[in-house]
């Protein structure tokens, strides 16, 4: 900000910012004191509604660099050559907590990356886990209601959490992740990120591939135990935000190695797991990681509200060569995220500096609405027009997907080895004995808070179906805690 006199919002110089106008010394305040009224009115409106989920977050700018040729899979220009760099903004977050909640809690972490590409912004909105609790977006509001404060008690209730999970066995895999050692990352720098969903890549020849993104932390994985997190959350609720900011200030720029798993489209129909089911992973033995980039965070935001709180990410923000898949959770998010931003930040949220394209210019026929800045001036606002306005390219960003059958409310297709427990059991059996003990202890502490025996038993039974030993140990631990 330039030096000079303090001014009102309209630019008039302020004579006295310490005392309000009164009718005589000690008299009542005058309505003509417009500086006072302006300041109070602005203060009342300084906060926008917090995000319904992922409200608690931190962010930073960075650089994505291509390290390997992937042009055989995608025609996205920002991935077109080795060494190419693209500016990015990454927002980390917890899911269930509100804006004032502590960072060091057992909760998935949002991992949302905005690539400011020359073809427009590409948003990859993921988590620090490769799977999620549910596979269909129609269940998402119900799921989040169980994670948020109960409308009667005003607190998060174990009954709600485990009642829903117990009645939604597809959540077993993600719950096993969440209550394992990686359930409470030590910092945002020391955790992996995942696109989680399946996406489509399309090359110049219009060949399509299904892909899953992986961001492997170069700082190494570090986690907190439940006991460590409890202490840290009380001592420093801002622990993860502070760690990220201070690391960048020190010049210790965190980075991630970026890879994809690639599945030829023809293999999807017969793959042993449904490749579009968000509760499942693709085992690396089937589709190994292909490394193609490096993501580094190297610049802190200058204003948290303007650049972190008002930042928006939408999985519908694609660029040529990248598109969606039939993943039913992703399909719902394509609508829900943009709709949330239009409600929370406003219809012109994409005009804000942190959200607008940095490497190109947005050319649309949208006009007016809250905070519209008049950028289009007198240009025509319809298409087609003969006044030199923007025009369509006639080339889709991604390839169409073949569909068949009749419309209706359908369950997610089941593939040869699909069930709700197999991958949770595989994850459990991969753990060391110490990891299993901590997982069972963490889960038992949570389940023991349930007030109804039938809810606790149903929750335990899901883990028993994943692995008999897992369920048996959990049952014993819960019984001991519940007396």
């Amino acid at each position: 900000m330039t030096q000079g006199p303090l001014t009102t919002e309209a630019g008039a110089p302020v004579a006295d910012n310490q005392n309000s106008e009164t009718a005589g010394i000690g008299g009542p305040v005058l309505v003509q004191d417009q500086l006072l009224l302006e300041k109070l009115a602005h203060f009342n409106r300084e906060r926008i509604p917090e995000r319904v989920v992922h409200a608690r977050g931190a962010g930073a700018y960075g650089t994505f660099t291509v390290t390997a040729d992937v042009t055989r899979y995608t025609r996205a220009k920002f991935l077109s050559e080795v060494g190419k760099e693209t500016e990015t903004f990454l927002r980390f977050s917890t899911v269930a907590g509100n804006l004032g909640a502590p960072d060091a809690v057992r909760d998935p972490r949002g991992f949302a990356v905005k690539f400011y590409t020359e073809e427009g912004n590409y948003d990859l909105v993921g988590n620090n886990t490769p799977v999620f609790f549910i596979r269909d977006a129609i269940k998402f509001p119900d799921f989040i209601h169980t994670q948020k404060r109960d409308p009667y008690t005003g607190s998060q209730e174990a009954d709600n959490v485990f009642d829903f999970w117990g009645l939604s066995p597809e959540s077993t895999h993600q719950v096993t992740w969440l209550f394992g050692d990686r359930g409470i990352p030590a910092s945002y720098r020391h955790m992996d990120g995942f696109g989680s969903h399946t996406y489509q890549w399309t090359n110049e020849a219009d060949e399509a591939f299904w892909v899953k993104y992986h961001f492997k932390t170069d700082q190494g994985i570090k986690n907190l135990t439940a006991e460590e997190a409890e202490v840290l959350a009380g001592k420093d609720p801002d622990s993860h935000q502070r760690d990220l900011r201070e690391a960048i200030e020190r010049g210790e720029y965190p980075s991630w190695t970026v890879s994809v798993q690639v599945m030829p489209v023809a293999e999807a129909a017969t793959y042993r797991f449904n490749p579009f089911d968000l509760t499942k992973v693709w085992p690396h033995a089937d589709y190994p990681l292909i490394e193609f980039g490096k993501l580094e965070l190297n610049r802190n935001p200058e204003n948290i509200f303007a650049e972190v709180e008002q930042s928006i990410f939408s999985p519908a923000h694609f660029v040529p060569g990248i598109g969606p898949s039939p993943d039913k959770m992703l399909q719902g998010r394509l609508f829900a995220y943009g709709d949330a931003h239009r409600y929370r930040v406003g219809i012109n949220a994409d005009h804000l500096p942190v959200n607008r394209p940095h490497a190109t210019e947005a050319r649309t026929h949208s006009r007016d609405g809250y905070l519209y800045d008049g950028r289009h001036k007198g240009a025509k606002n319809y298409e087609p027009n003969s006044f030199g306005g923007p025009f369509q390219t006639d080339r889709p960003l991604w390839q169409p997907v073949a569909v068949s059958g009749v419309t209706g409310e359908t369950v997610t297709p089941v593939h040869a080895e699909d069930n709700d427990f197999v991958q949770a059991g595989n994850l459990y059996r991969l753990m060391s004995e110490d990891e299993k003990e901590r997982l069972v202890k963490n889960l038992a502490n949570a389940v023991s808070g349930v007030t109804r025996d039938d809810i606790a038993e149903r929750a335990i039974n899901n883990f028993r179906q994943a692995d008999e030993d897992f369920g048996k140990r959990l049952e014993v631990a819960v019984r001991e805690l519940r007396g």
Side-chain angles (χ1 to χ4, degrees):
M1 182 179 293
T2 59
Q3 296 296 311
L6 179 70
T7 74
T8 65
E9 297 289 343
V14 172
D16 187 345
N17 194 46
Q18 317 306 317
N19 305 288
S20 54
E21 284 192 59
T22 61
I25 298 174
V29 172
L30 299 177
V31 73
Q32 74 178 34
D33 189 343
Q34 290 302 296
L35 176 63
L36 170 67
L37 301 187
E38 180 181 86
K39 288 180 68 176
L40 294 180
H42 190 284
F43 179 76
N44 286 344
R45 295 162 175 80
E46 280 182 357
R47 293 294 171 261
I48 58 178
E50 69 174 39
R51 289 168 168 87
V52 177
V53 289
H54 296 278
R56 174 73 172 178
Y61 294 93
T63 304
F64 172 79
T65 305
V66 179
T67 59
D69 184 6
V70 287
T71 55
R72 63 175 291 195
Y73 303 118
T74 179
R75 62 185 174 94
K77 284 188 179 179
F78 80 103
L79 301 177
S80 62
E81 58 183 289
V82 174
K84 188 163 189 173
E85 295 184 351
T86 299
E87 183 188 5
T88 62
F89 183 77
L90 198 161
R91 185 177 186 270
F92 303 99
S93 56
T94 52
V95 175
N98 56 24
L99 196 56
D103 290 336
V105 294
R106 188 175 301 281
D107 201 11
R109 301 300 192 273
F111 196 99
V113 188
K114 186 181 295 294
F115 298 86
Y116 299 101
T117 91
E118 66 267 51
E119 296 179 293
N121 291 349
Y122 172 46
D123 290 352
L124 184 59
V125 187
N127 284 326
N128 71 323
T129 59
V131 293
F132 196 60
F133 299 93
I134 52 177
R135 62 172 65 97
D136 193 318
I138 201 167
K139 297 182 71 169
F140 188 74
D142 300 288
F143 164 62
I144 293 299
H145 287 167
T146 73
Q147 303 298 300
K148 291 294 202 176
R149 298 178 186 275
D150 182 271
Y152 174 68
T153 68
S155 302
Q156 188 183 49
E157 297 295 334
D159 281 7
N160 301 354
V161 172
F162 284 98
D163 189 37
F164 181 86
W165 285 344
L167 292 168
S168 304
E170 71 268 28
S171 68
T172 307
H173 191 187
Q174 171 74 320
V175 175
T176 303
W177 268 87
L178 181 60
F179 284 86
D181 282 355
R182 297 195 182 190
I184 315 178
S187 81
Y188 290 134
R189 297 181 296 129
H190 294 94
M191 68 182 196
D192 291 341
F194 300 87
S196 302
H197 296 287
T198 299
Y199 293 93
Q200 187 197 87
W201 273 9
T202 307
N203 64 19
E204 279 292 351
D206 289 334
E207 296 175 295
F209 303 86
W210 301 123
V211 301
K212 281 185 176 288
Y213 293 94
H214 298 251
F215 296 75
K216 296 297 183 183
T217 176
D218 296 326
Q219 290 68 239
I221 295 288
K222 290 184 181 179
N223 304 297
L224 300 171
T225 65
E227 294 77 16
E228 291 170 336
E230 186 175 350
V231 172
L232 182 58
K235 283 185 173 180
D236 184 8
D238 304 322
S239 57
H240 289 37
Q241 300 187 38
R242 188 187 316 283
D243 175 84
L244 178 66
R245 185 188 71 250
E246 291 181 350
I248 294 173
E249 288 174 345
R250 292 192 304 267
E252 298 177 13
Y253 301 142
S255 64
W256 287 260
T257 297
V258 188
S259 303
V260 285
Q261 293 176 281
V262 178
M263 176 187 292
V265 164
E267 296 180 13
T270 57
Y271 183 51
R272 57 197 180 109
F273 299 114
N274 183 337
F276 311 118
D277 181 346
L278 186 56
T279 69
K280 302 289 196 304
V281 297
W282 302 354
H284 292 185
D286 296 344
Y287 297 99
L289 295 181
I290 300 172
E291 182 182 325
F292 73 97
K294 183 74 71 175
L295 175 65
E296 178 188 84
L297 299 182
N298 47 37
R299 179 164 66 92
N300 283 318
E302 295 183 0
N303 183 282
I304 298 299
F305 178 75
E307 297 166 87
V308 179
E309 286 311 300
Q310 292 194 128
S311 64
I312 62 172
F313 299 83
S314 172
H317 289 169
F318 293 112
V319 293
I322 304 178
S325 78
D327 177 340
K328 293 180 80 173
M329 269 298 295
L330 174 60
Q331 292 285 317
R333 295 175 81 205
L334 296 178
F335 161 75
Y337 275 59
D339 187 57
H341 304 323
R342 285 185 285 271
Y343 159 72
R344 193 179 66 87
V345 187
I347 193 65
N348 289 307
D350 286 301
H351 292 186
L352 296 171
V354 69
N355 299 323
R356 67 189 179 214
H358 288 191
T360 187
E361 177 189 4
R363 293 179 293 275
T364 78
H365 294 295
S366 300
R367 298 290 190 276
D368 308 335
Y370 186 60
L371 291 182
Y372 176 63
D373 59 8
R375 65 180 54 200
H376 300 89
K377 300 181 180 178
K380 303 299 182 183
N381 65 338
Y382 57 90
E383 194 279 332
N385 73 55
S386 59
F387 292 87
F391 51 87
Q392 64 188 40
T393 66
D394 294 322
R395 187 177 187 185
L397 273 63
W398 59 82
Q399 287 302 294
V401 177
V403 297
S404 63
V406 298
T407 61
E409 292 81 11
T410 58
V411 298
T412 302
V414 176
H415 287 221
E417 296 183 30
D418 275 340
N419 70 46
D420 290 328
F421 309 108
V422 61
Q423 291 198 355
N426 291 342
L427 178 59
Y428 176 79
R429 288 183 287 274
L430 282 174
M431 296 179 180
S432 68
E433 183 59 30
D434 286 346
E435 289 174 319
K436 289 177 180 177
E437 286 182 5
R438 289 190 291 270
L439 168 63
V440 170
K441 179 182 177 182
N442 293 334
L443 264 173
N445 284 335
V447 175
S448 65
V450 170
T451 62
R452 280 172 40 189
D453 290 342
D454 63 314
I455 293 177
E457 173 53 34
R458 190 164 52 238
I460 293 168
N461 188 55
N462 284 346
F463 299 105
R464 186 182 294 114
Q465 292 189 69
D467 184 275
E468 185 66 30
D469 176 67
F470 188 3
K472 207 175 282 187
R473 291 164 69 161
L474 180 59
E475 181 180 19
V476 170
V478 171
R479 188 186 307 124
E480 289 177 353
L481 289 169
R482 288 169 66 88

